[in-house]
Each structure stands twice: as structure tokens, then as C-alpha cells.
Amino acid sequence: MPKKRDGGGLSKTQQAAKFLGVSVLAGAVLAGLALPAAGALGLTAKGSVEGFDDIPANLKTPPLSQRSTILDAKGGEIAKVYSRDRTVVDLKDMSPYIRQAIVAIEDARFYQHGAVDMKGILRAVNKNAQSGGVSQGASTLTQQYVKNVFIEEAGDNADKVAQATQQTIGRKIKELKYAIQVEKELGKRKILQNYLNITFFGQQAYGIEAAAQRYFSKHAKDLSLEESALLAGIVQSPSRYDPVSAPQEATRRRNTVLQRMADLKNITQAQADAAAKKPIKLAVSRPKNGCITATDGAGFFCDYIRKVFLTDKAFGKTRKDRLKRWDRGGMTIRTTLDPQTQKAIQASISDHVYEDDPVATAATIVEPGTGKILGMGQSRPYGFGENQTVLNLSVDDNMGGGAGYQPGSTFKPVIAAAALEQGTSPEQEYSSPYRMPYPSPVQTCEGQWQGSPSDTTQNENKREVGPYGMKEATAKSVNTYFVQLISDMGICPAVKMAQKMGIERADGKPLQQVPSMTLGVQEMSPLTMASGYAAFANGGEYCSPVAIESITDARGRALEVPRTSCRSAMSKKTADTINTLLKGVVEDGTGKEAGLRGRDSAGKTGTSDSRYAAWFVGYTPNAAGAVWVGDPQHKRKMYNITIGGVPHEKVYGADTPGPIWRDAMTGALAGRPAPSLPTVPIGNPDRDKDRGDDKGRDKHKPGRGHGGDDKPGGGWDLPDWPDILGGGNGGW
């Protein structure tokens, strides 16, 4: 007998259950006809609906979220990323055993009834009426599929998931109506296929293909009888029947499924008995999700791909749209990452800087003329453990990097290019004293910069005294030469040249229009510097960096991807002149330790004020790369420091970033063409004759210049002059 409330009569829940049972028996639900309003049934609890006819007729069926695969330029896998680990497969690609097993245990009358099972509902209604609540369901596979669609739509929103799974009469009515529609439009085969692709099997596996891979490291089409029964049994309670953590419970549940299959004549009793005697044999594949699983140090590049996707309007009008598209997944993303280059970068980094060193390094190589990012790596691995980080030290702040790092003298070629474009001769001489105040006033884009007598700069040591021409001043990285150059030229041409070369501050703020910009005092990222220098290698044409070659969605359709944007930053003559200047740096200047054997190369060393950062940025005709070494927190000065097992009294751009660049580029370009860099003749003024210090000049040995960027390789025994750059004026 049903329980009665005190005072007699059935409770509202019992009345609703009774009425629903009558309605089902009358065929109202199956016919899709209106049920009485919720108020008439007493269905006023949260989650109920006002009436059956008020429910929208069309069920929204979102594309199922799947894993996306990120590939390198050669088709090798970098990583799989997903919000839900799922691979949608056709019914024909599922073992017939799993199809039989899931029907047997979840909805044995699946092929006999319509959207709802009247016998099952009657049984549940009677049970629930007796208990005074909703203690038993009678959901068919179709209804379960509908509920899973609601859960899929809810995503990771806990409130929406709760609404999609709440045990209310209202939700069941909504589910029933949608089930009718689904049965009518999809048919049994498609419903079963969709159900097996959407349902959760535990261990982060959504859908039967992911489940087969997770538990047995095989495809769904290859599942055996006992494996299929095990997976079918998990669905009711993925945690309770998890074969990894609860093998005994999972075994009992599997055997229940096997017996049910035998009862329904899907298999013989002998088959069921034989399968039930077999112990569970798992071949678990642990979830590999996200950039943390990438090999060869490509985790940061992988993360950069995600940032590109979420910030580029090619993938959606709003960030919310783009995030939803990314989480939906199912994409194959082919990137520009060259595996040979990536391996070479990471190998070089590992040789020169250890992950537990007090400072870190980051390196990026791009392709001139295309903007393709060929490699990106750093010394501290991608992750959350000790000596690990998820901060991408190669990119700007808005793309997952930090505030950037002062590039020091690697910014001087930008000034030189701007001056050459203004008509300055590469043979232009300046007095270039050891120390000098900044000339004032200096023209800017908006007006004038006005300095004070305390705003001074100096060269690395007192022997650096001009006059110098541009070629020698570049090779030796003479600060006062470039301060005089920008003061004569004005700051605005330098700012505009940097903009045309894509060189901008890592924090996204405008370049400060001050003369000290020539010394590289404004923070940049390695990707920015590599892409800017690529313009020199490309005849003066700058191409914006790109990381994605192509994307196809789950149906194999190609998506539009962002393309590089190329523009003329300077004339070819100016670019060729810079080539000449920067070849001198690696052949007989501060960057000799970075020079490549057997191929033309050019580049520039740089260190920041107080040696918080050291750089080498250089290029060949087919690759341009930037290497930074320093403390990401901008706290550790690189004096009396050991990096990669090598002690340094001072760190220079030549002695640590230079060799990293050299080895990375050597490996990246191995077996590839070695074209020449176009150059122009530049005369060298005979300074020695004018100064009468040719004996001192003879002391200069290969590999050791003056500029503070050039420590290794022998050379003058320079006194340890203090790093004084009045007013924070940058470095060498």
C-alpha cells in the first residue's frame, strides 16, 4: 500500500507519479500531446516545467567535444589537448560485443519500444509512489542520450550540470519530449552510435573509443567480449565500477553484464561462463592531455598555439566564442614547428644552461620571408614542479610571456637602419668619447626630448674613444657612437623603424621616445627580436610571425588560419648594409664566438644595464634567431655566477647567448642550403693614424672587442670598470 500523509490522502509527489503513469498508459507522452500544467500536478519544485507544450520542439545537439591534435610541420605529434578526451567513431568502428553489451545492461528492450519504455515507467512509477519520492528511474537509452546532451551543453559549469541531472518530474518531462523527437529523427542505429560516443566511462574517457584506448590501449572495434562487458558495466557508476581502483567490483559488474547478454541470447551461456572466469587484464594508457606532454621542449610552443587561437578573430568574434571552439576540439592543427630546429634549440640550451641554474635562457628561431616560427625553447621545462614554469620566456606578455627583457645593444642595428634610411652614410664618424652627456634637446615624434647634465652614458672601458665609423662602432658596440647618431637623426625615425620591423615592447606599451632607446633599455621578447632581425635577412621586408599552417575540424573541413603579413621595413640597400655591419660583428667583433662555420651569418650581442640580461640575435639568409639569458624575475645580476657549469665573472652577450645561438643554428641548418648574405662595401676610416695609438690597437685579438658584449675569445686585459650608466641608460 502506498504511504499516506497524516490526515489521509497521497502526497503531491505520489499524485504526480500516479498521474504521470496514467498519462503514459493513455499514450499521451508517446503521442507528444500536452500534459496538464505543472500547477495542476503540484509540480512547483525547482526544475519543473509549466507544461509539456511549452518545451521547445527542437533538441539542441552540440558537436561533441573531442581531443585536438597539434602537429609539427612534418606531421609529427606535438601534443593532444582536450577538455574531454573523446574521439567520435562510427558504429561500424565499434565491436559488436560493446553494442550488444550496452543495450543488454542499460536498455534490454531498446529495439522493441519507442522513445520511452511503458513497462519500465510503470515499474518506476509504482516504486516511486511507494517510496514517496523519485527512487528509481526508467530511462531508455534514448532518454539517457538526451540527458547526456544536456550535460555536454553544460560543459564545466557546475550549476548547469546540476540542472541537467537534477531528479525532478519537470526534467523528466522535458527529457521525454526530446526523446520522442530524437527517436523520430535519428532512428535506433544513430541513437546507439551517439550514445556510445557521448557517454562517460570514467578515467577521463568520454565515448567508447577513448575508453577502449584508456583501459585496453586498443581501438573500440577490437574490443573482446569480456572487455566490452567490462566497459558497458562501468557506465552506471564510473567510480564504483572503475577497474583500475576497484577491480573486484568491476569484475562482479562485468559478470552481471555477461549473464544479461546470455539471458537475451546475444551470446551463449557457455560463452558467458568462459568470459566470466577470465581475470581482468588491463593495458591502461594514462591520459596525455595538454602541452605538458609535449616532447623536445615544445610545451611552450604548444601553449603559444593555444594563445594564438584564443586571441585571433579568425577563430571566433569573441574570446568566449574562441574558447568554446577550442574546448570543443576535434581539430588537427598543423603548425610551423620544424622538428630539426626544435631539437637543435633544446639540445643547445641543455648543453649551456641547466634547469636549476640561477638564471634561465630562451631561444626562438623564425624563417625570413615567411614569418614561420621554426623553433621555440627554454631551459626551465614546461610544468608546475621545481625549476619548471608555464611562463613562456620567448613571447610577449599578452601571449603568455612576461614583461620582456632589455635587449641592450641588440637594438643598435635598428638605430643604424633608421639612420641609413634617412641618408646617413655608413662611413659617418662621430667623436664617440668614453663618457658623455646625452645631447639635448633631441627631436621626437611629438616634440622634443629635453635632458639634464646628469643624463650621461659611457662605453665599456676608458680605451673606447673615437672617432669611430659605423662599421667599427657596430662591431665593437660603442655606446657613445649610437647616442650621437640618434641625437643627430632624431628619435622619431628610430621609433618608426622599430614599428616597421615589428619590434615593440613586450608589455604592449608604446616605445618611450628617449635617446637611451638606442642602448636597448626597453623590454622586448626573443620572438620579437628574431622576427625583427629576419627583415635584414629578407632584403628589408618584415613578415609577422606565424605558428599555424592549417587546421581541419572533426569533419575534415579546413578552417581559415591567420597568415603572415609582410611589409617593407627598409630598402634592400639598407638591409644589405646592415648585413655588412653585422657580419663584421661575428667575423671580427664582439660576436665572434657566435659565428657559424661554412655559412654566412650576421648578428649582434647585447647586455643590459647591471647585466640583468644578455642577448645574441643573429641570422642567416634562411633563419633568424634570438637568444636571451637572465633572471625572469629581473632580480639576479649576472656577476660571479655559474651557468651550465661554467663560472663567469661577468656574463656577456658573446660568452653565453652567443654559443647557444651558434649551436642551435648549426643544428637547425645542418644539411640545408647555405646561401650568401648580400653585402655592400663600407670603408673604414684610418683612426689609428689620426690617434697615433696603433700599438694599443695591435693588442686587440680576435674574439675580444670593447663593447661589453664580447668577453670570451681572448683579447685585451681590460680593467674591471664599474657598470655605471648614469640615469639607467642601458647596456652594451
Side-chain angles (χ1 to χ4, degrees), residues 291-303:
C291 297
I292 199 169
T293 66
T295 59
D296 297 319
F300 299 99
F301 179 79
C302 170
D303 187 68

Side-chain angles (χ1 to χ4, degrees), residues 256-334:
T256 298
V257 175
L258 289 168
Q259 187 56 52
R260 186 65 174 150
M261 293 176 72
D263 294 343
L264 295 172
K265 309 302 182 184
N266 296 136
I267 58 175
T268 65
Q269 187 62 53
Q271 285 177 301
D273 293 341
K277 291 178 182 178
K278 294 181 180 179
I280 292 177
K281 292 183 179 180
L282 301 178
V284 177
S285 296
R286 296 297 176 186
K288 289 186 177 181
N289 179 25
C291 297
I292 199 169
T293 66
T295 59
D296 297 319
F300 299 99
F301 179 79
C302 170
D303 187 68
Y304 182 76
I305 294 295
R306 180 178 181 273
K307 293 294 194 303
V308 169
F309 195 97
L310 296 183
T311 55
D312 200 297
K313 291 186 177 180
F315 304 113
K317 292 183 179 180
T318 67
R319 182 178 175 83
K320 183 179 179 181
D321 292 337
R322 297 189 290 271
L323 182 59
K324 186 176 182 179
R325 181 69 187 83
W326 179 266
D327 286 343
R328 188 188 309 154
M331 298 178 289
T332 300
I333 304 171
R334 197 179 188 103

Side-chain angles (χ1 to χ4, degrees), residues 507-530:
D507 60 9
K509 296 178 181 178
L511 289 169
Q512 296 175 0
Q513 297 188 32
V514 292
S516 62
M517 72 181 296
T518 192
L519 304 181
V521 299
Q522 301 182 58
E523 288 79 3
M524 315 289 181
S525 69
L527 176 58
T528 289
M529 295 304 294

Side-chain angles (χ1 to χ4, degrees), residues 176 257 278 337 368 462 500 502 550 569 597 615 648 650 715 719:
L176 288 174
V257 175
K278 294 181 180 179
L337 192 77
K462 291 183 177 179
K500 287 188 288 187
S550 65
R597 294 181 179 178
W615 290 73
H648 300 266
K650 290 182 181 181

Side-chain angles (χ1 to χ4, degrees), residues 60 83 256 370 569 620 671:
K60 279 183 164 184
S83 59
T256 298
T370 67
T620 68

Side-chain angles (χ1 to χ4, degrees), residues 58-283:
N58 295 316
L59 172 67
K60 279 183 164 184
T61 308
L64 298 182
S65 58
Q66 302 183 60
R67 62 172 75 155
S68 290
T69 304
I70 301 176
L71 306 175
D72 62 32
K74 302 295 185 182
E77 184 177 309
I78 296 173
K80 284 186 170 66
V81 294
Y82 51 82
S83 59
R84 289 195 169 127
D85 187 10
R86 176 189 285 121
T87 300
V88 173
V89 294
D90 192 84
L91 200 64
K92 65 180 175 59
D93 293 318
M94 304 176 192
S95 165
Y97 290 127
I98 187 61
R99 290 182 261 165
Q100 295 169 342
I102 203 74
V103 170
I105 197 62
E106 290 295 321
D107 185 3
R109 289 172 33 80
F110 176 64
Y111 293 106
Q112 283 75 51
H113 60 65
V116 294
D117 184 359
M118 289 189 294
K119 289 183 178 180
I121 288 178
L122 269 178
R123 183 180 64 252
V125 166
N126 289 332
K127 178 68 175 177
N128 293 340
Q130 291 173 10
S131 67
V134 182
S135 63
Q136 186 180 101
S139 294
T140 62
L141 274 181
T142 307
Q143 291 171 264
Q144 290 183 49
Y145 167 64
V146 169
K147 182 174 73 172
N148 276 305
V149 170
F150 295 154
I151 295 171
E152 184 75 17
E153 285 184 313
D156 295 325
N157 187 310
D159 291 337
K160 290 184 178 180
V161 171
Q163 292 174 19
T165 57
Q166 61 186 342
Q167 292 297 318
T168 64
I169 296 295
R171 186 189 66 77
K172 292 298 292 185
I173 294 174
K174 183 179 180 181
E175 186 181 280
L176 288 174
K177 183 168 185 178
Y178 282 138
I180 294 168
Q181 176 200 345
V182 167
E183 282 272 352
K184 179 180 179 181
E185 294 181 358
L186 298 184
K188 296 293 186 181
R189 175 185 170 83
K190 188 68 173 178
I191 291 169
L192 181 58
Q193 175 179 298
N194 289 1
Y195 177 82
L196 282 166
N197 276 314
I198 199 172
T199 198
F200 180 53
F201 287 88
Q203 291 286 327
Q204 302 181 37
Y206 289 81
I208 190 60
E209 178 68 15
Q213 293 283 353
R214 181 73 71 251
Y215 294 106
F216 301 110
S217 298
K218 61 172 60 174
H219 293 294
K221 65 181 179 181
D222 299 322
L223 290 169
S224 66
L225 169 59
E226 57 271 18
E227 291 167 346
S228 297
L230 178 73
L231 295 182
I234 290 174
V235 171
Q236 186 184 83
S237 180
S239 58
R240 179 181 176 184
Y241 300 125
D242 184 343
V244 177
S245 60
Q248 291 183 339
E249 281 289 317
T251 301
R252 282 193 289 269
R253 178 66 174 169
R254 179 200 67 177
N255 294 346
T256 298
V257 175
L258 289 168
Q259 187 56 52
R260 186 65 174 150
M261 293 176 72
D263 294 343
L264 295 172
K265 309 302 182 184
N266 296 136
I267 58 175
T268 65
Q269 187 62 53
Q271 285 177 301
D273 293 341
K277 291 178 182 178
K278 294 181 180 179
I280 292 177
K281 292 183 179 180
L282 301 178

